[in-house]
Amino acid sequence: MISIIIPTHNRCDSLHKLLSNIADIEKNISLEVIVVDNNSTDNTRNIAQRFKFVNYVFEKNTAFTKAREAGALNASKEILLFIDDDVLLNENSI
């Protein structure tokens, strides 16, 4: 039903906190999580791939709009929810 799209660039620590947070709530909600690595040079790829529910997409053009577009093009659900990599969700957020 929902595709959560998370563009990120060199913020693997924040991304890890967010994905851990989503792992706690995704069991109860039908969703797809797409992490768009916007040409990061840190540990972003490894962090994203630790979570089985994450679809990892690499976007070589370091531009926020390109990252959002790449996420949308890889989404398969009806509703697209774009969130930043430094937020936390609660179950009622979705």
Side-chain angles (χ1 to χ4, degrees):
M1 178 187 276
I2 298 173
S3 293
I4 297 178
I5 301 168
I6 308 165
T8 188
H9 176 74
N10 288 335
R11 293 177 55 128
C12 65
D13 292 336
S14 295
L15 179 65
H16 185 264
K17 289 177 188 173
L18 172 58
L19 294 177
S20 296
N21 169 244
I22 292 173
D24 291 337
I25 64 172
E26 67 93 20
K27 301 166 197 151
N28 302 324
I29 303 169
S30 174
L31 53 83
E32 158 183 67
V33 178
I34 302 168
V35 171
V36 182
D37 179 350
N38 202 199
N39 204 21
S40 297
T41 57
D42 65 359
N43 205 25
T44 295
R45 177 188 300 261
N46 293 331
I47 294 295
Q49 292 178 336
R50 287 183 193 171
F51 295 87
K52 295 182 194 269
F53 60 85
V54 169
N55 296 331
Y56 174 84
V57 175
F58 183 80
E59 172 53 54
K60 67 179 180 175
N61 295 308
T62 309
F64 187 68
T65 54
K66 289 288 187 182
R68 288 176 60 117
E69 179 183 33
L73 291 172
N74 283 276
S76 65
K77 304 297 182 184
E78 299 170 10
I79 300 169
L80 305 182
L81 174 62
F82 294 90
I83 61 173
D84 292 334
D85 55 13
D86 63 348
V87 300
L88 296 177
L89 303 174
N90 65 47
E91 286 190 41
N92 296 326
S93 296
I94 303 173

